[in-house]
Amino acid sequence: MLLLQPKFIAVDSLSKNSPTSPVITFSAQLDNLLVGGVVPGEILEILGEPNSGTSQLCQQLAVDCSIPIVFGGRNCRALIIDCNGDICESRLLQIAKGAFDHLSHIARNEAERNAVLELTVDKMLGMVDTARCTDYTQLLALIHFLSKDCQYGMILIDTIATHFRHEFDDMRQRTNLLASLSNQLHSLCMCYRTSLVLVNQVRMTGEGSVVPCLGESWSHTAHRRLLLSKLTSDTYSATIMKGEKSGQTAKFRVSSRGIRDCNPA
């Protein structure tokens, strides 16, 4: 069953005049690796094993879409499409509180202080919608709907591979559906300047290499690919697998307040 929380809210459609600032992660090292963050009109694929920080980064980006323009933010709505049931409202609340406190702390001029006065944690959370998709037909139907009328500056799918790894006996059908989905995602980017963040699983080859799921054809969908790995209980690494700065790595940590830089040694 498809659930939207809250229901879709009518807002002005995005246009070429919409803010073009990248959505940041609250880790300067990770943002530098991403050349500023996630920009409008791009598809970023976040790869990783379970517990590698992919869902944490996904939720952080969704909340950060609400950062006001005076702080260099996008000030747009975000939609998280939850295919695993892993998105936690209490975690989103923690991240939103952390982001609000940070903005309050760094506000220096009158415009920034006024923006903080108008902003609340509830307003930040109100700009993040979630949709639960329990099978691939619901996911495809939702993407089709959004391709006709997208109200979001960022759409995040966690995890794109969930319903395509084990639900198909006919692999030709799966390949065709993935090709159609890829085309629709690119149309979303081009028509609405929406940023797309796709979380994908990885698997180990017989040679011990880590490769993304969904095959070679799917690998052409994203403009950039970011591989996450867990280093310690709260420290993670991110490596660019495709796109600018390919092969370069940054470290970040996941705190109770969200994604942050690693503590100085």
Side-chain angles (χ1 to χ4, degrees):
M1 181 178 183
L2 179 63
L3 299 176
L4 287 173
Q5 304 169 344
K7 294 181 180 179
F8 286 101
I9 300 173
V11 296
D12 292 337
S13 297
L14 296 174
S15 70
K16 293 182 180 180
N17 296 321
S18 299
T20 58
S21 300
V23 176
I24 62 171
T25 68
F26 273 90
S27 165
Q29 297 172 9
L30 186 52
D31 289 334
N32 180 63
L33 184 69
L34 292 171
V35 197
V38 184
V39 299
E42 84 156 312
I43 301 177
L44 172 67
E45 190 171 15
I46 303 175
L47 311 169
E49 298 177 337
N51 301 313
S52 62
T54 54
S55 292
Q56 295 292 329
L57 180 53
C58 183
Q59 292 174 92
Q60 182 73 58
L61 288 169
V63 169
D64 291 351
C65 285
S66 65
I67 295 175
I69 295 174
V70 293
F71 286 100
R74 188 91 65 86
N75 189 34
C76 65
R77 301 187 65 82
L79 172 65
I80 303 176
I81 302 176
D82 183 6
C83 297
N84 294 336
D86 290 340
I87 301 303
C88 179
E89 291 185 9
S90 61
R91 181 56 178 154
L92 284 170
L93 176 60
Q94 287 181 324
I95 293 171
K97 285 181 177 179
F100 178 81
D101 289 345
H102 180 73
L103 294 176
S104 300
H105 177 71
I106 66 172
R108 293 291 182 266
N109 57 50
E110 183 177 0
E112 291 174 348
R113 288 192 289 269
N114 287 338
V116 170
L117 289 174
E118 295 176 1
L119 192 65
T120 65
V121 173
D122 286 342
K123 283 184 178 180
M124 297 182 80
L125 284 177
M127 295 179 72
V128 180
D129 293 339
T130 62
R132 178 76 171 100
C133 290
T134 59
D135 59 44
Y136 75 90
T137 58
Q138 292 179 354
L139 175 60
L140 294 175
L142 179 54
I143 295 300
H144 178 73
F145 172 80
L146 291 168
S147 69
K148 303 299 182 182
D149 181 22
C150 182
Q151 311 285 336
Y152 297 97
M154 179 177 283
I155 298 172
L156 310 96
I157 305 178
D158 185 11
T159 299
I160 191 71
T162 297
H163 303 310
F164 290 97
R165 289 192 69 183
H166 307 295
E167 296 184 19
F168 289 88
D169 295 323
D170 186 344
M171 297 307 294
R172 179 177 296 181
Q173 180 193 20
R174 191 190 85 151
T175 299
N176 290 338
L177 288 173
L178 283 173
S180 176
L181 175 59
S182 179
N183 288 334
Q184 286 189 311
L185 294 176
H186 277 278
S187 294
L188 270 172
C189 289
M190 291 187 293
C191 293
Y192 300 101
R193 300 290 293 162
T194 299
S195 300
L196 292 176
V197 177
L198 314 176
V199 177
N200 194 1
Q201 301 163 354
V202 295
R203 61 180 179 84
M204 298 292 294
T205 66
E207 294 75 28
S209 302
V210 175
V211 297
C213 295
L214 300 182
E216 178 64 25
S217 296
W218 179 260
S219 69
H220 302 291
T221 299
H223 301 110
R224 295 193 286 178
R225 277 182 148 176
L226 185 70
L227 176 64
L228 303 188
S229 302
K230 188 170 187 176
L231 301 177
T232 67
S233 60
D234 66 348
T235 306
Y236 301 77
S237 70
T239 303
I240 298 292
M241 305 298 291
K242 176 184 177 182
E244 189 174 348
K245 295 193 176 185
S246 179
Q248 296 188 33
T249 298
K251 293 180 181 179
F252 65 95
R253 65 186 176 93
V254 176
S255 72
S256 61
R257 302 165 70 80
I259 303 294
R260 296 294 187 272
D261 278 325
C262 291
N263 293 321

